[in-house]
Amino acid sequence: MTQPPPGWGGATGAHDGAGGSDVPVCPRHPDRVSYIRCQRCRRPACPECQRSAAVGVQCVDCIREQARSGPRPVTVLGGRAGSDKPHLTMGIIALCVLVWIGELVSPRVFQEVAFAPALGTIEPWRLLTSAFAHSPHQPMHIIFNMLALWIVGGYLERMLGWARYLAIYVVTALAGTVTWLLFQPVDSFVPVVGASGAVFGLFAAVIVLNRHLGRDSSGMIATIGINAVIGFVVPNVAWEAHLGGLVAGGLVAAAMALARTQRNPAIAWGAIVGVLVLVLGLFVAKYAMSPAGIVVPVG
């Protein structure tokens, strides 16, 4: 027989009703008797509060404390490691599909989210919302984009972590739309939609980062080449957006590779902010320098 450790009674003990001694109870569930103790804090833990450990079990409180005080798991590029499943990529795909279904149900959805140069100064948020919409009359538009996003985005999300992945997606999406804008008259109402700018940005990021990590990207380069040719051959494809996303994605990815080499995450985030400022600066300059000036639609 062994002596009970300190703290046996009180909140962690209950009277047995026979000989006046205490029986161990779970601190989180005082109505439950437990003779199994946490290997770390030695308090009783009921089955609901037990977690398997290297030796024996630990209570949920100790598991949480170790998670807070232990080293933070990171990805190969130094971002915060998340789930093995690309939840953010799946969320973006789901959002694009929902918007596309909305476009099929009502033409107003397309009208509210698509970007047109003449609307840029009064509704600038369309620069981003247009990247989550696709042509309601061309199903292959969304199918090809979402397939590419699933293949490339999932891979990149695991490599970068959700925060850096989201940042590069947003920046390249904006870069694609703004680059397309640079080639259009500011008084045009011709709309543009699609995630192609962001997808091409992710293409470039994968190539740059794979090269940095010594991984093969030959299949990705071939995919980019095919999509680039399609952009010039198929009518109504905004190849300018592809180009803008590709350049922005390559620049940000190069900075992320440098940040890993220098062990300085600030380099990556500084590049993300820098490219974003450049893109928004080009957006403002397009309207400021246009002979037509700023257009405000009426009616």
Side-chain angles (χ1 to χ4, degrees), residues 121 124 127 171 174-175 177-179 181-182 186 272-290:
T121 57
L127 286 171
V171 168
L174 290 171
T177 309
V178 170
T179 304
L181 169 66
L182 296 179
V186 295
I272 291 171
V273 173
V275 173
L276 178 61
V277 170
L278 174 61
V279 169
L280 295 180
L282 290 173
F283 169 73
V284 173
K286 171 64 177 180
Y287 291 97
M289 300 176 62
S290 174

Side-chain angles (χ1 to χ4, degrees), residues 138-156:
Q138 298 178 355
M140 298 309 296
H141 184 209
I142 188 172
I143 291 175
F144 278 130
N145 275 350
M146 295 304 99
L147 179 61
L149 181 57
W150 174 251
I151 296 173
V152 182
Y155 174 76
L156 200 59

